[in-house]
Amino acid sequence: MLKSFSVSSLIILFFVVFETAILSNLMVLPAVPDLLLIVTLFVSVHNGRLFGVSSGFLSGLFLDFLSASPFGLNCLLRTIIGYVAGLFNKTLNMGGIFLPILIGFLATLLKVLLVGMISFVFVDSVVSYTLFSKEFLFEIAANSLLTPLVFKFLNLFSGVILLNPEKVS
């Protein structure tokens, strides 16, 4: 269990650096795809709620340190999303393409709804999404389409990330 969490933490650290240092500086992108959200989804769906909450909190903590958002916002969002995704532990077949796309779409939508609810309470400090803006539409499309690719990439590490990887013969 400690080995899985350690490797997951290193992968999350890699993705947070990639997302904040490289993707956020590409001027051709209207919005940054949320790769950390996808990694949290992968760990949560395959390892359950405890790992989902832990990886969500850790990815949010890393992101809070490296972004200009209010401290704790990303921790809260990703912890909730990790818990919700962990509810589907080992019940969904993530081997295909359609279901990961749907999971990425729904997780991004949940993130947007949670940010909207939080920005309703904290009007001055949290910037919410504008629905149907090009930034929002790009992020939801990019997250949806990148989810199967990131899941396939993370499956390469399934022996050390997943608690009980099931071998299919």
Side-chain angles (χ1 to χ4, degrees), residues 19 23 29 31-36 38 111 138-139 142-143 146:
E19 188 174 313
L23 290 181
L29 298 177
V32 178
D34 199 347
L35 299 176
L36 287 173
I38 299 170
K111 181 181 98 168
F138 177 81
E139 183 175 354
N143 288 352
L146 287 175

Side-chain angles (χ1 to χ4, degrees), residues 77-150:
L77 294 174
R78 292 162 197 287
T79 301
I80 292 170
I81 292 170
Y83 179 80
V84 171
L87 292 173
F88 300 103
N89 179 29
K90 302 211 189 281
T91 59
L92 300 175
N93 181 9
M94 290 298 175
I97 293 176
F98 178 71
L99 200 54
I101 288 174
L102 182 64
I103 295 291
F105 179 83
L106 292 174
T108 307
L109 196 59
L110 178 60
K111 181 181 98 168
V112 168
L113 292 174
L114 289 171
V115 167
M117 289 175 19
I118 292 170
S119 69
F120 183 72
V121 176
F122 300 104
V123 178
D124 294 333
S125 57
V126 177
V127 177
S128 64
Y129 288 82
T130 305
L131 293 179
F132 305 112
S133 65
K134 70 176 182 178
E135 292 84 10
F136 167 70
L137 294 175
F138 177 81
E139 183 175 354
I140 203 162
N143 288 352
S144 300
L145 295 175
L146 287 175
T147 301
L149 298 174
V150 174

Side-chain angles (χ1 to χ4, degrees), residues 1-46:
M1 184 163 156
L2 184 61
K3 179 180 170 184
S4 296
F5 185 72
S6 300
V7 172
S8 297
S9 300
L10 288 174
I11 290 173
I12 288 171
L13 182 62
F14 168 77
F15 273 97
V16 76
V17 169
F18 179 71
E19 188 174 313
T20 57
I22 297 173
L23 290 181
S24 65
N25 290 321
L26 293 175
M27 295 301 178
V28 295
L29 298 177
V32 178
D34 199 347
L35 299 176
L36 287 173
L37 180 70
I38 299 170
V39 173
T40 301
L41 289 174
F42 180 84
V43 172
S44 302
V45 169
H46 288 89

